[in-house]
Amino acid sequence: MTFHQSELQQLETHFANSRNEIVIFYGDAQNAVHETLRTFLKNKPTFYYRARSASARLQLQFFYDEIREDLPKGMRIDVRYSEILSAMLSVTCEKRIIVIDEFHLFLRSDPTFMDELIRTVHNKWNNQKVLFLLSSTNKNWVEQDMVSLLSEKAYEVSALIEQKDLTFADLKAYFPEYDFLSAVETYGIFGALKGNWAELDPALSLQENLSKYVLTKGSYFYERGMRILPEELREPTVYHTLLCALASGRKKLNDLYKLTGYDRAKISVYLKNMTEYHIVEKVESYNAPGHENVQKGIYRIVDPFVRFWFCFVFPHYSKLSFMESEKFNKKYIDANLRTYAESTYVSVCSEFLLKNYAQKENETQFETMGTWFGKVGTIDFIATTKEGKSIAAYCNFEKNKMTYADLEWNQYCLKQARIKCDRLYLFSYSSFDEKLKKEALSDSALILIDGELQ
């Protein structure tokens, strides 16, 4: 099953053109970047080197030794970047690909390597067409630190291609036997990352996968849960405490202060550290006119699995040590998963709305979209076109019925945000009450969608 067709097509486009280029391809470490890379490189003339954390001298030696193995026997080259690059391009073909994988480790050890790449790209005496493909699974570094490190050399990069997260529809295709509820819960635990899905067994139920691959000592996700924090982050006690608080629903600095007792300044520093490592993010509310009613300073855990671990496993870890994984799952996780996946259902509804209903109404060109976090309520999803047309959505996953009172509450939140909607979509996994159904019959701008989303 091949995903990420858009990214593959972009890479193929750069390979097909006649120019020498430097292209950066990056994504999350769990997002199957290397799988896409292997698919793209298949049957193409390629030299490949994967950088590692090492000194500049050792990195150069590794680069020389590995590339030397792939060069024609008898070719003499010195241990210098310029010589190695020239040697690779002397092996002629229609167009050569030179891949530097995890290139952030290369530039960290020796930033001058980029100068050699640029000189090679612009070498007028070189008749061999080349695509330098710099790949990285450190998304945070590429988006936040790379440009400052490269400085003016960043202008030499022809394109940045990000491997996007997969969708709920992709997950449904990967787990074809899962019903809608199980698929939403799986999405809420393992996210939109193919690398996570690949560690599970699609033939097993979600509960069986949790018991076998998350709650069993030595399994992939069990070991990952025990090593969530990067080695660079000291004082794990503080980080674990804050992650537990965030996973329990505390999202503002004052809430974290009340629960943990840590000084607010200290909490801010640790949140900033986790933000830099893309463990936590500060949430920005949808930019609506009702600025005075917006809730500010909201934080949340980025990775769904980290949130799951600190919500269900970490608080009961001592029980897991002496309890069978199936029993632990049934007692602490199973009955609470639907509540846990409420926010995931919002994402699924938003994806469904953008793909289906908005498309039917020719409203696909949304300029802005997001969630509005009010001081007294939340609008799950808002999207606005360049022409100023807006749609909003309110989603119910947990309650047995969405009621007319829910509609009134959502309309109140829209007034607080000072947003006038052309369409209001109400999603309910279960059903709607009769009064709400009757209202929708008389109001063409109100659209009710229930059941499983296809």
Side-chain angles (χ1 to χ4, degrees):
M1 188 179 297
T2 303
F3 297 110
H4 301 296
Q5 293 294 337
S6 174
E7 291 88 338
L8 283 168
Q9 184 56 53
Q10 291 178 70
L11 291 169
E12 291 288 355
T13 298
H14 286 283
F15 179 64
N17 70 39
S18 59
R19 300 188 305 274
N20 291 345
E21 291 185 304
I22 299 173
V23 171
I24 293 173
F25 177 54
Y26 72 101
D28 188 278
Q30 299 300 317
N31 210 358
V33 170
H34 292 121
E35 182 177 313
T36 302
L37 196 59
R38 284 193 296 271
T39 300
F40 167 66
L41 295 175
K42 189 175 181 179
N43 299 324
K44 292 183 175 69
T46 304
F47 282 106
Y48 175 91
Y49 175 74
R50 185 166 184 171
R52 60 222 69 174
S53 184
S55 67
R57 178 178 292 182
L58 188 57
Q59 190 84 257
L60 172 59
Q61 189 64 51
F62 285 149
F63 187 44
Y64 171 84
D65 290 341
E66 292 193 12
I67 297 301
R68 185 71 187 81
E69 290 182 15
D70 297 328
L71 291 171
K73 295 188 182 301
M75 182 179 289
R76 294 180 176 275
I77 56 172
D78 292 333
V79 187
R80 294 203 305 266
Y81 291 132
S82 57
E83 291 259 339
I84 301 168
L85 293 171
S86 296
M88 285 191 283
L89 295 181
S90 69
V91 184
T92 58
C93 58
E94 186 173 348
K95 188 166 185 177
R96 171 71 57 190
I97 303 176
I98 296 177
V99 179
I100 307 297
D101 200 358
E102 305 298 7
F103 78 100
H104 60 280
L105 297 176
F106 218 133
L107 296 190
R108 280 176 177 172
S109 62
D110 191 353
T112 64
F113 177 70
M114 197 68 182
D115 297 319
E116 296 295 342
L117 286 189
I118 293 169
R119 273 193 283 271
T120 303
V121 165
H122 293 301
N123 185 355
K124 295 180 180 180
W125 301 104
N126 174 31
N127 294 320
Q128 173 61 61
K129 297 300 180 184
V130 60
L131 169 62
F132 282 107
L133 187 54
L134 310 183
S135 178
S136 175
T137 57
N138 192 329
K139 179 179 177 179
N140 195 49
W141 181 86
V142 172
E143 294 182 343
Q144 296 188 19
D145 302 328
M146 182 187 71
V147 172
S148 61
L149 176 64
L150 294 181
S151 189
E152 70 278 358
K153 291 189 282 290
Y155 292 107
E156 299 290 343
V157 176
S158 299
L160 271 75
I161 301 174
E162 178 190 358
Q163 176 135 307
K164 301 289 187 181
D165 289 348
L166 295 175
T167 66
F168 179 71
D170 293 324
L171 181 136
K172 282 286 290 175
Y174 195 89
F175 297 92
E177 301 302 317
Y178 280 21
D179 61 20
F180 182 76
L181 177 61
S182 296
V184 172
E185 291 173 345
T186 301
Y187 201 44
I189 298 169
F190 300 105
L193 303 177
K194 172 73 182 324
N196 284 349
W197 305 349
E199 298 296 334
L200 306 173
D201 186 348
L204 299 180
S205 69
L206 171 59
Q207 299 307 325
E208 289 170 331
N209 269 309
L210 288 175
S211 296
K212 186 173 182 179
Y213 296 113
V214 177
L215 303 176
T216 299
K217 189 174 183 180
S219 65
Y220 173 79
F221 286 106
Y222 182 98
E223 297 304 319
R224 184 178 161 196
M226 299 303 294
R227 296 172 178 80
I228 281 173
L229 294 176
E231 292 181 1
E232 294 86 348
L233 295 183
R234 306 301 180 186
E235 293 190 83
T237 301
V238 179
Y239 290 111
H240 288 163
T241 302
L242 291 175
L243 287 170
C244 272
L246 289 166
S248 70
R250 275 75 169 182
K251 55 188 178 182
K252 292 179 66 67
L253 194 65
N254 197 49
D255 298 332
L256 298 173
Y257 161 72
K258 289 179 179 178
L259 183 66
T260 67
Y262 294 142
D263 180 82
R264 288 180 177 84
K266 179 176 183 176
I267 293 173
S268 295
V269 169
Y270 283 79
L271 288 174
K272 181 177 180 294
N273 292 341
M274 287 194 286
T275 299
E276 290 176 353
Y277 281 91
H278 208 54
I279 299 170
V280 167
E281 65 180 351
K282 189 173 184 179
V283 181
E284 296 296 332
S285 182
Y286 180 86
N287 186 20
H291 299 293
E292 69 279 7
N293 298 317
V294 169
Q295 190 175 182
K296 299 176 181 177
I298 301 173
Y299 292 87
R300 67 183 173 197
I301 298 171
V302 176
D303 188 330
F305 177 73
V306 175
R307 178 178 166 239
F308 170 83
W309 184 267
F310 281 96
C311 183
F312 293 113
V313 183
F314 193 84
H316 307 291
Y317 181 69
S318 61
K319 298 292 184 182
L320 183 59
S321 300
F322 295 95
M323 189 182 290
E324 291 182 358
S325 59
E326 292 84 0
K327 188 175 180 180
F328 182 95
N329 189 6
K330 187 174 182 179
K331 182 173 182 178
Y332 295 108
I333 300 175
D334 190 24
N336 301 304
L337 267 184
R338 189 161 166 179
T339 301
Y340 170 85
E342 180 83 35
S343 60
T344 306
Y345 180 67
V346 173
S347 300
V348 171
C349 293
S350 303
E351 178 187 319
F352 175 86
L353 185 57
L354 293 174
K355 182 180 178 182
N356 296 288
Y357 281 76
Q359 193 174 56
K360 291 180 182 178
E361 299 176 15
N362 296 317
E363 294 178 346
T364 55
Q365 299 302 314
F366 290 112
E367 188 173 41
T368 57
M369 62 185 71
T371 299
W372 187 79
F373 298 95
K375 293 178 180 178
V376 294
T378 299
I379 304 171
D380 289 331
F381 180 73
I382 308 172
T384 303
T385 66
K386 293 180 180 179
E387 295 74 29
K389 293 185 68 177
S390 294
I391 63 170
Y394 186 57
C395 309
N396 165 54
F397 190 55
E398 185 179 4
K399 295 191 302 181
N400 289 331
K401 284 186 178 181
M402 182 181 281
T403 66
Y404 187 82
D406 292 319
L407 169 63
E408 291 180 315
W409 176 251
N410 192 245
Q411 290 172 331
Y412 173 75
C413 291
L414 287 167
K415 288 181 181 179
Q416 291 286 299
R418 298 212 295 273
I419 293 175
K420 185 179 183 303
C421 283
D422 297 277
R423 294 284 189 278
L424 176 58
Y425 295 88
L426 300 184
F427 290 86
S428 181
Y429 173 61
S430 297
S431 61
F432 303 96
D433 71 9
E434 292 304 317
K435 188 176 181 180
L436 187 49
K437 291 178 182 178
K438 186 176 180 181
E439 179 70 17
L441 290 174
S442 62
D443 185 355
S444 61
L446 179 61
I447 301 170
L448 308 185
I449 305 171
D450 61 359
E452 300 187 358
L453 305 178
Q454 301 299 326

